[in-house]
Amino acid sequence: MASIDYIVRSGGPLAGTITVAGDKSISHRAVILSALAEGRSEITGLLEGQDVLGTVAALRALGVAMEGPREGRLMVDGVGLYGLKAPVGVLDLGNSGTSMRLLAGLLAAQPFGTRLVGDESLMRRPMERVAVPLRSMGAVIETGEGGRPPLYIVGGRALRAIEYRMPVASAQVKSAILLAALYAKGRTVVIEPAPSRDHTERMLAGFGYPVHREGATITLTGGAGPLHPVRLDVPADLSSAAFFLVAASIVPGSCLRLPRVGMNPTRRGVIDILRAMGAQIEAQNETTASGEPVADLVVRSAPLRGIVIPRELVPLAIDEFPALFIAAACAEGTTVLRGAEELRVKESDRLAIMARGLASLGVAVEEYPDGLDIKGTPLKGGVIDSGGDHRVAMAFTVAGLRAADAIEVRDCGNVATSFPGFVACACAAGFNLEVNAP
């Protein structure tokens, strides 16, 4: 990944209409399920970030023909549930934990073996959480030292249905089990301890495959029929929009409009948390797109206050906490987060790296095993090492809008994994942002 640094300074109000990138979670799933459908599917609004392109490349290596993506449009000639081919060599999934975990479920059921690797960051991330339930279904999966990648998946194993009570809420683990369950004999039942994003269940139903949900229990019967091709429009990514929701909230006089943002109830915790802090966020033109609720979001600057974040909202905002931590640093009073130990096993240890970065900017922050206490403090300038974490990099770029002096955010190349148009959107909104690249 190229060494890219951002330098951001405070400036005037933010204004305008900003169209953020397509939803990353939905894009991954759209590509995978289109590949398993019987016939040609058309995806529009696809995120062309490196993570999703890694999923596209992996499925091409597995024998799926595709045209694009170009300007968010991808045509996929699905091979059906039983049409994937053995790849030549390993599947390198770059920085994408979503790709590795979801494809592990799919590949556990194939007649051929596969080896999954990634970049330095991905090779440090835990994979036993997905390997354990897949092994209970009959899969043979070997992980590396400490339960981390590489993954070696032995082919030719007949899978059986299971009832699995998830120890922690994880959409990636749930989705891996459901993908494997398409091939398993019998009825697979997954029980969630708390809601996690439900894009896989919604999308399977959209492809014509029956999935039943009752409360916290999801049921899928293997061999219940083929997946039918679809035309699918991916909404704008709420996780990407979160940086602009926070930015407009903390910069006085700002007003931004963000069209067609995904408003899935299992994803909108960030909006609920920001509103509880006093943010002025209005949802307009609410409708649905390909089974997902969407709306235009209008956010205006407002004084924020510290809150105790409700634990039930934590899994519904898990990817948005780097942005929320910046909101907390700019709020009056103290924001308290607990129950977020999952943040320690993302692209970086997001609790530790955000705490260090905030402290270096003069913020009073206390770190706990499962959260942070952040006391709103005037921000000073400084140099932040993002650790190659795309969401950390974007979060501290937003922090620069309120800092007394410039903030230099280093190692921002991985922003392209989830939001390749971030700099263009930020500059269009009014960020005083400079990019240093070789």
Side-chain angles (χ1 to χ4, degrees), residues 198-224:
D198 64 355
H199 303 306
T200 300
E201 300 97 295
R202 287 174 181 261
M203 200 175 295
L204 278 167
F207 278 85
Y209 199 95
V211 181
H212 179 70
R213 178 163 198 137
E214 184 174 348
T217 302
I218 305 103
T219 304
L220 184 151
T221 300

Side-chain angles (χ1 to χ4, degrees), residues 4 8 39 51 76 82 176 203 209 221 230 282 298 318 335 339 341-342 344 387 394:
I4 297 173
V8 60
D51 278 8
V76 183
Y82 300 96
M203 200 175 295
Y209 199 95
T221 300
V230 300
E282 181 183 357
V298 178
I318 198 67
T335 297
E341 59 273 11
E342 175 73 11
R344 294 202 181 274
M394 289 185 280

Side-chain angles (χ1 to χ4, degrees), residues 141-329:
I141 302 177
E142 299 175 9
T143 58
E145 183 178 356
R148 295 175 173 83
L151 298 187
Y152 177 65
I153 303 171
V154 176
R157 302 289 171 159
L159 301 187
R160 57 183 174 271
I162 59 168
E163 179 174 310
Y164 188 69
R165 188 175 294 274
M166 298 180 62
V168 296
S170 169
Q172 293 179 359
V173 175
K174 174 179 64 176
S175 297
I177 296 169
L178 293 177
L179 286 170
L182 293 171
Y183 299 85
K185 184 178 180 180
R187 188 180 67 170
T188 293
V189 179
V190 180
I191 305 167
E192 296 190 280
S196 67
R197 57 190 63 179
D198 64 355
H199 303 306
T200 300
E201 300 97 295
R202 287 174 181 261
M203 200 175 295
L204 278 167
F207 278 85
Y209 199 95
V211 181
H212 179 70
R213 178 163 198 137
E214 184 174 348
T217 302
I218 305 103
T219 304
L220 184 151
T221 300
L227 275 66
H228 302 291
V230 300
R231 296 184 65 181
L232 192 151
D233 188 22
V234 178
D237 196 330
L238 180 55
S239 295
S240 296
F243 299 101
F244 293 95
L245 297 178
V246 171
S249 295
I250 65 175
V251 177
S254 296
C255 179
L256 289 178
R257 184 180 188 88
L258 305 165
R260 291 193 69 260
V261 177
M263 295 288 283
N264 186 297
T266 64
R267 292 283 298 280
R268 53 176 294 163
V270 63
I271 295 177
D272 296 333
I273 292 168
L274 284 172
R275 283 175 171 166
M277 297 176 72
Q280 299 298 307
I281 302 171
E282 181 183 357
Q284 301 178 349
N285 302 322
E286 297 182 72
T287 184
T288 59
S290 300
E292 292 280 349
V294 299
D296 298 340
L297 297 182
V298 178
V299 54
R300 296 175 174 86
S301 59
L304 302 182
R305 58 184 175 270
I307 64 169
V308 177
I309 296 174
R311 282 182 178 252
E312 64 269 19
L313 293 182
V314 172
L316 308 185
I318 198 67
D319 283 339
E320 293 74 53
F321 277 108
L324 287 167
F325 292 155
I326 303 304

Side-chain angles (χ1 to χ4, degrees), residues 81-133:
L81 288 169
Y82 300 96
L84 297 178
K85 305 297 183 184
V88 177
V90 302
L91 295 181
D92 187 341
L93 301 170
N95 188 246
S96 181
T98 303
S99 301
M100 184 169 285
R101 293 192 178 115
L102 267 60
L103 289 176
L106 174 60
L107 294 170
Q110 302 306 316
F112 50 82
T114 46
R115 184 177 177 86
L116 308 181
V117 301
D119 68 7
E120 182 180 356
S121 170
L122 182 54
M123 296 295 276
R124 294 194 301 264
R125 298 180 68 180
M127 291 295 155
E128 281 295 309
R129 59 174 57 187
V130 69
V132 167

